[in-house]
Amino acid sequence: MDLIVQKFGGTSLSDEQSRRHVLRHINRELEAGTHLVVVVSAMGRSGEPYATDSLLELARLNGDALPQRERDLLLSCGEIISATLLCSLLCAEGIAAVALTGGQAGIFTDGRYGSARITEIKTERLNMHLSEGKVVIVAGFQGMTPDGEATTLGRGGSDTSATALGAALNARIVDIYTDVDGILTADPRWVNDARPLSAVSYEEICNMAQNGAKVIHPRAVEIAMKAGIPVRVRSTFSDGEGTLVTHAQVLRTQGIWFDKTVTGLAHVRGVTQLAVINRDGPADVQLRVFRAMASHGISVDFINVMPTGVHYTVLANDSQTAIGLLRELGFEPTVRDGCAKVSVIGGGMNGEPGVMAVIVEALTNAGIPILQSADSNTTIWVLISEHQLAEALQSLHTAFGLHLTPAREI
Ligand code: ASP
Ligand code: MG
């Protein structure tokens, strides 16, 4: 059976005009004889009645008394509303459709309310409706425990529902429809000549998503990568092909891999750098620092451990707690607030000499000090002062010629 999964985000479903675009993409695939599973997110953004943020506000009434189980039950409603509304639109057009909750679609999860993991997808019911010729609309962002309790998958989780369904049903492709044309070489709000990318590898998009690009949830990519299911990130509001995401090897054999050393930039703002110097103090300083952070659920980054002390970063939200913990341990950290982390990402940089030299040269010429750096085989991260972020992104974008990224060629 030729099957694709389409996922529509909240802004694609929020008004009548947007939903007409959704209908157009559904009709185009049906006319080509494709079977469809359509995953939906909650409608609209914060402040709009059925958006997840609005439901979260309801959950917080009564002094946060709502238990986790009931909170998930409430949050799951946003996607159920979208699924039923889309079903009514399709039925009105004479298209056979059925709307299912995550649980009804056979998506089983563990019992971690608010951040449940998918453990299994039972596809019998999905296959039954598909073989009846129906479009199967599934409420994203949710599943069900083996005991039948509704769970949610964490913010942005409907991307994960889509790729997990794609993997379970062996879909030809998972199309993630959103309000941008695809993945760009950098955030266009910061870099005015950012260019759309025709293709990126799973590793590259994972790095982008983990480092601040909000275009797709990293867990969704991991699931697609494991199953080898291609993903496309594309706009609901145009007919553009968007950005294809698959294995680098597949892109190369299809001749659509540009073999660029650097593919794109991503960034995270609101980072605080902490340095604990320990020249003559206790030998177990490293262990005590990182244990304290871990036991308070503070995620650490840019970790640099030396015999004389440790440097690392935390998100600004966590910085006061982190500083308090360090003081409790008897350390007086040096604190640098207002930092930003810039990631230079490219599947082709592995073993390629000179990438760091280009970064250092571009930033030095722009008068931007590098406060810390780190690297992996597909990414180099630099920590800079946030007030220089726009300039840093623009100079790196130019230095790597990303403004010359060719238009889609397939
Ligand atoms: N509606 C959920 C959220 O806002 C899930 C999603 O949109 O992917 O996080
Ligand atoms: Mg999303």
Side-chain angles (χ1 to χ4, degrees):
M1 167 189 314
D2 182 40
L3 172 101
I4 73 172
V5 175
Q6 295 181 324
K7 181 251 165 178
F8 293 97
T11 47
S12 307
L13 296 158
S14 57
D15 56 55
E16 182 61 34
Q17 211 187 343
S18 308
R19 291 193 288 270
R20 288 276 140 198
H21 284 285
V22 169
L23 187 62
R24 188 166 53 81
H25 295 295
I26 290 175
N27 266 327
R28 188 191 56 238
E29 298 300 345
L30 291 178
E31 278 159 20
T34 308
H35 288 82
L36 279 184
V37 170
V38 180
V39 175
V40 290
S41 288
M43 287 194 284
R45 291 210 166 112
S46 179
E48 295 178 61
Y50 316 113
T52 302
D53 285 306
S54 310
L55 300 176
L56 266 171
E57 271 169 37
L58 287 182
R60 285 193 206 106
L61 294 179
N62 305 311
D64 266 336
L66 189 65
Q68 295 269 317
R69 174 186 172 277
E70 283 71 16
R71 188 175 176 273
D72 266 17
L73 199 52
L74 170 57
L75 290 186
S76 65
C77 295
E79 273 69 12
I80 298 174
I81 292 172
S82 293
T84 51
L85 183 68
L86 183 59
C87 188
S88 76
L89 180 61
L90 296 191
C91 294
E93 294 288 319
I95 300 168
V98 57
L100 303 175
T101 64
Q104 289 169 342
I107 301 177
F108 286 89
T109 70
D110 61 21
R112 275 182 281 177
Y113 292 116
S115 57
R117 298 279 174 144
I118 297 175
T119 49
E120 189 188 2
I121 298 187
K122 293 201 170 125
T123 55
E124 290 83 357
R125 184 157 181 192
L126 292 163
N127 280 324
M128 179 188 81
H129 291 309
L130 288 166
S131 62
E132 290 164 353
K134 289 184 179 155
V135 173
V136 184
I137 306 165
V138 180
F141 174 56
Q142 57 184 270
M144 185 176 80
T145 66
D147 307 339
E149 302 291 4
T151 51
T152 63
L153 308 179
R155 297 309 303 271
S158 42
D159 292 342
T160 307
S161 309
T163 57
L165 285 168
L169 295 165
N170 198 20
R172 171 159 57 83
I173 198 157
V174 175
D175 275 337
I176 306 280
Y177 285 93
T178 176
D179 52 2
V180 291
D181 285 329
I183 296 157
L184 302 184
T185 50
D187 185 334
R189 285 167 297 189
W190 292 81
V191 177
N192 53 30
D193 50 3
R195 300 270 299 150
L197 288 158
S198 58
V200 294
S201 68
Y202 291 123
E203 287 82 2
E204 287 173 328
I205 184 77
C206 250
N207 278 321
M208 291 179 187
Q210 276 157 356
N211 290 296
K214 294 198 178 61
V215 72
I216 184 171
H217 197 289
R219 200 190 298 162
V221 181
E222 280 158 25
I223 292 173
M225 176 160 68
K226 227 179 187 174
I229 305 283
V231 175
R232 233 169 354 190
V233 178
R234 55 195 299 184
S235 169
T236 304
F237 308 103
S238 78
D239 282 321
E241 291 270 291
T243 305
L244 175 66
V245 185
T246 184
H247 286 298
Q249 192 51 39
V250 175
L251 293 172
R252 263 182 222 119
T253 49
Q254 289 183 13
I256 46 172
W257 181 254
F258 303 119
D259 262 327
K260 296 189 71 171
T261 313
V262 171
T263 306
L265 307 175
H267 68 271
V268 178
R269 294 158 68 194
V271 176
T272 300
Q273 186 191 39
L274 301 172
V276 178
I277 308 296
N278 185 50
R279 288 227 163 69
D280 312 305
D284 63 346
V285 50
Q286 302 159 355
L287 183 61
R288 294 203 296 151
V289 167
F290 292 116
R291 260 206 192 137
M293 298 300 128
S295 64
H296 287 76
I298 298 178
S299 134
V300 294
D301 203 1
F302 268 114
I303 306 151
N304 210 330
V305 179
M306 293 154 294
T308 49
V310 293
H311 280 60
Y312 62 99
T313 62
V314 296
L315 290 176
N317 291 345
D318 290 328
S319 71
Q320 283 316 313
T321 318
I323 294 166
L325 288 168
L326 292 171
R327 290 198 177 128
E328 269 171 40
L329 291 174
F331 301 121
E332 191 47 55
T334 307
V335 179
R336 193 195 286 264
D337 283 319
C339 299
K341 174 187 182 184
V342 175
S343 307
V344 178
I345 297 153
M349 75 167 64
N350 196 8
E352 192 70 27
V355 183
M356 189 61 182
V358 175
I359 295 175
V360 174
E361 190 181 343
L363 296 179
T364 306
N365 288 344
I368 300 167
I370 298 175
L371 307 173
Q372 222 179 314
S373 74
D375 68 288
S376 76
N377 55 3
T378 53
T379 305
I380 294 177
W381 297 272
V382 289
L383 187 71
I384 57 160
S385 180
E386 189 172 330
H387 78 272
Q388 295 177 306
L389 179 60
E391 235 183 316
L393 289 170
Q394 191 65 64
S395 5
L396 291 169
H397 199 261
T398 309
F400 285 105
L402 295 177
H403 56 300
L404 305 173
T405 301
R408 187 175 189 90
E409 281 171 359
I410 52 168

